[in-house]
Amino acid sequence: MTLHFCSMLRLMTQLNALPLLVIGLCLVGRLEAKDIIVKNAAELKAAIAGGGSGVTVKVAKGNYKDIKFIIKVGGSKDAPFTIMAESPGEAIFSGTTHLEINAKHVVIDGLFFYKGSIEVNPEDRENAVMKFNSDFGTIRNCAIVDYNPMEFKTEYYWVFCNGSNNTVERCYFKGKNNMQPLIGNGIEGCRYNAVRECYIKNIPFDVGNGREGIRVWGSGKFDEKPTDGAYFTVEGNLFDHADGEGTEIVSLKSNFNQVLNNTVIATKGCLNIRRGSNNTMKGNIILGEGAEGAQGLRMSGANHVVQGNYVSGAEYGIRVSCGEYTARSLTKDFTPKEKSGAKSAKNVTGEVTAYPQVKKLNLSNNVIVGCKTSALEMGSDYKKHWPDNQMILLPEDCDIANNRFIDVDGKGVAIEGAEIDPHIPSVGKKFVPNRFKGNIVMGGKVRYQPAESGCKEVALPSGWSEKKERANFKPLTAADVGPEWIIALRDAKKFPMEDDRSCYRDTAPDEKKKKNK
């Protein structure tokens, strides 16, 4: 039975229960007020200013332009402040719209940033379309597509983490074509951030160092001892033709990070532990598909674990870099590199290595198939730029075990390495040999004497196929990552901007760009 409000009011009055009704209506009003639907910029600005634990602001379907989201009021662990699209993907933001999260426990859900370009503050090196300036925030189910400035040299990130315990999950990024990485992590006080299950697609190549897909700064960037780190996690993401600078797809420049179970398809560059120590790369799948510039895994620094990764069809499989010796000048031409950010009580001059030496690497259970050059190179870049850089410290005290290195043509060198140049002055340290054990070299040759006893050369078996070799690895697909609303649009063939190539500037042929680098 349903009572009209007035009839119910008379009944409650007769029963002397009017105070209870008033209290009840107030409580209901408060509960309903926690879900706020906004339909224009003014309403959105007012709702954001209110904020608060358990409040959900739902942005109605429509186009929103030139909005500056500055979120100063957050929520709590169990009741975050949420800003979400009422219908995911149908609240579309453009113009100079950008977002800053300046409060804890804020969730951004289902917003679509499309073909805008933010206004850049030249004094801020951390300009970003979406930026965490606090802790425990989440950006999920969002998309940023072709959000590019007119000029390539204009610098801004698409997402920047300037805080701790923030997460970017199931988001979609396509078409970034300007300077700065797509996603970045700050140096100071930025720990335990994560990027998970995102789809990064069609990022145009152009020469410009510092255009990585994900760059992780933090403690360890300036050769600090490994007592602290960024503790960043890159997990379960798909990089699909995501070229960027063409050198590093993921660049770790700090300690204690994890790169886990990501898939890379036909993308220029590599997954790189560029600096720092105690980093982990496990379960990643790199399918170069013969694309120009597609590479595998590269690493510098100490105490890393590189395990259970799969690389095929790339220019190389794994490169374990040389380190730079900086304790003294070995020639009159050497000048140590100095960076202002590296200065400290223990490093008064701010000197840093070009590349830190690899020590105690655990390189195990990786599978490398059909690369153009070697599957494994120990001591890559030995004497590179000598004598300006003193790249002479070979990897040492490492365990290289139970890997499979497969040369499909059966004619190439599977394993190679640098030898010490006897003409270089001794650096006065005892070299600790690396340990090779249980490695299988299939179809190729070992051309590195220290590895010979720990590697077994065998012929490529009859009936071998990469499909069989890859049976234990499952590459991610477009249906596994990114927002569900984009997956649905793609399946319905209603997401044409995914293959829109207007983001490719094509300002000069690749060869000319290489010469200008």
Side-chain angles (χ1 to χ4, degrees):
M1 180 178 68
T2 302
L3 290 173
H4 188 275
F5 178 78
C6 293
S7 300
M8 184 173 67
L9 182 60
R10 283 194 296 271
L11 178 61
M12 295 295 286
T13 303
Q14 293 169 4
L15 295 175
N16 294 318
L18 184 58
L20 292 176
L21 174 64
V22 173
I23 293 172
L25 289 174
C26 289
L27 288 174
V28 170
R30 287 177 190 166
L31 289 173
E32 291 177 346
K34 290 197 173 184
D35 282 351
I36 305 169
I37 298 177
V38 298
K39 298 180 180 180
N40 55 54
E43 292 177 358
L44 178 56
K45 183 177 180 180
I48 290 173
S53 295
V55 174
T56 296
V57 176
K58 295 183 177 180
V59 185
K61 174 181 177 180
N63 295 302
Y64 300 81
K65 189 174 182 181
D66 301 331
I67 296 176
K68 188 176 182 180
F69 287 81
I70 305 295
I71 303 169
K72 298 180 180 180
V73 181
S76 60
K77 179 179 179 181
D78 297 323
F81 173 38
T82 301
I83 301 172
M84 63 184 298
E86 185 179 25
S87 179
E90 296 192 45
I92 302 173
F93 296 86
S94 62
T96 59
T97 299
H98 67 284
L99 182 152
E100 292 182 17
I101 301 174
N102 297 336
K104 294 181 178 180
H105 300 292
V106 172
V107 175
I108 308 297
D109 194 339
L111 306 186
F112 185 11
F113 290 73
Y114 183 50
K115 287 199 171 181
S117 177
I118 71 172
E119 295 178 343
V120 171
N121 177 0
E123 297 181 1
D124 185 359
R125 295 284 296 174
E126 300 169 358
N127 290 288
V129 179
M130 305 177 82
K131 184 176 181 181
F132 295 102
N133 276 331
S134 189
D135 308 327
F136 301 103
T138 300
I139 297 173
R140 68 163 67 103
N141 301 322
C142 293
I144 305 179
V145 173
D146 298 345
Y147 222 79
N148 296 315
M150 291 293 294
E151 299 292 333
F152 169 76
K153 64 183 180 180
T154 301
E155 299 184 3
Y156 60 80
Y157 299 81
W158 278 7
V159 178
F160 191 82
C161 297
N162 196 15
S164 297
N165 296 283
N166 296 298
T167 300
V168 180
E169 60 187 14
R170 293 202 72 94
C171 288
Y172 178 91
F173 305 103
K174 178 261 173 183
K176 187 177 191 298
N177 69 11
N178 63 308
M179 288 299 295
Q180 290 289 31
L182 194 152
I183 298 174
N185 192 67
I187 297 177
E188 298 292 338
C190 302
R191 303 178 182 88
Y192 301 103
N193 297 309
V195 179
R196 294 189 171 95
E197 298 180 79
C198 292
Y199 191 5
I200 300 174
K201 181 170 183 175
N202 289 347
I203 308 300
F205 167 73
D206 207 329
V207 171
N209 184 39
R211 296 190 61 237
E212 301 94 328
I214 300 175
R215 183 176 67 193
V216 184
W217 284 343
S219 182
K221 174 173 166 45
F222 299 120
D223 298 339
E224 304 96 320
K225 298 296 183 182
T227 57
D228 193 10
Y231 302 94
F232 199 103
T233 299
V234 181
E235 183 174 14
N237 304 285
L238 175 57
F239 299 84
D240 183 354
H241 293 78
D243 297 335
E245 67 176 29
T247 305
E248 297 175 274
I249 303 164
V250 174
S251 179
L252 304 183
K253 296 184 176 180
S254 49
N255 306 325
F256 298 108
N257 303 295
Q258 298 186 91
V259 180
L260 310 172
N261 304 317
N262 303 280
T263 295
V264 179
I265 298 175
T267 296
K268 292 178 185 286
C270 66
L271 301 183
N272 192 12
I273 304 175
R274 177 62 181 83
R275 305 193 73 84
S277 61
N278 297 277
N279 291 295
T280 298
M281 284 188 173
K282 284 187 178 181
N284 301 287
I285 299 173
I286 300 177
L287 306 178
E289 298 184 349
E292 181 184 0
Q295 303 164 5
L297 307 164
R298 187 154 54 100
M299 59 224 62
S300 300
N303 301 307
H304 302 311
V305 175
V306 179
Q307 192 174 81
N309 302 285
Y310 184 96
V311 180
S312 75
E315 291 190 352
Y316 65 80
I318 298 173
R319 284 184 176 169
V320 185
S321 298
C322 268
E324 184 179 34
Y325 178 74
T326 58
R328 61 186 173 88
S329 298
L330 302 178
T331 75
K332 62 182 178 60
D333 297 310
F334 172 69
T335 302
K337 306 298 181 294
E338 296 182 5
K339 292 193 175 183
S340 58
K343 293 182 179 180
S344 66
K346 294 182 179 180
N347 188 354
V348 178
T349 61
E351 291 182 7
V352 296
T353 60
Y355 289 81
Q357 185 184 17
V358 175
K359 294 183 178 181
K360 297 185 180 298
L361 167 68
N362 178 339
L363 184 69
S364 59
N365 299 106
N366 301 286
V367 178
I368 312 298
V369 179
C371 292
K372 294 178 184 178
T373 59
S374 57
L376 172 64
E377 182 180 357
M378 297 294 293
S380 63
D381 293 330
Y382 183 71
K383 287 183 65 178
K384 183 178 181 180
H385 302 310
W386 175 268
D388 293 336
N389 291 347
Q390 297 184 157
M391 296 281 291
I392 61 166
L393 299 177
L394 296 176
E396 64 175 286
D397 199 13
C398 301
D399 289 289
I400 297 92
N402 304 317
N403 301 284
R404 290 169 64 83
F405 303 115
I406 302 168
D407 183 350
V408 178
D409 297 328
K411 299 178 181 180
V413 176
I415 301 176
E416 61 183 337
E419 303 284 347
I420 294 176
D421 184 341
H423 298 99
I424 292 178
S426 171
V427 297
K429 62 189 291 294
K430 184 178 179 181
F431 180 79
V432 181
N434 302 303
R435 296 167 291 277
F436 290 81
K437 181 180 179 181
N439 301 288
I440 301 297
V441 176
M442 188 182 296
K445 301 295 182 182
V446 178
R447 292 290 183 265
Y448 184 54
Q449 188 277 328
E452 290 177 356
S453 62
C455 297
K456 182 179 180 181
E457 292 184 5
V458 300
L460 199 67
S462 176
W464 177 91
S465 70
E466 184 177 351
K467 182 178 180 181
K468 292 177 182 178
E469 190 69 46
R470 207 164 70 192
N472 294 324
F473 298 86
K474 185 182 178 182
L476 296 167
T477 70
D480 299 319
V481 292
E484 293 290 343
W485 58 270
I486 285 185
I487 295 172
L489 287 172
R490 182 187 299 119
D491 291 345
K493 301 187 184 306
K494 295 181 179 179
F495 198 61
M497 61 276 292
E498 184 162 65
D499 297 311
D500 174 10
R501 294 184 62 85
S502 62
C503 57
Y504 287 75
R505 295 177 184 270
D506 292 330
T507 55
D510 286 354
E511 288 303 315
K512 182 178 179 180
K513 292 175 183 178
K514 289 177 183 177
K515 291 178 182 178
N516 291 336
K517 187 172 182 181

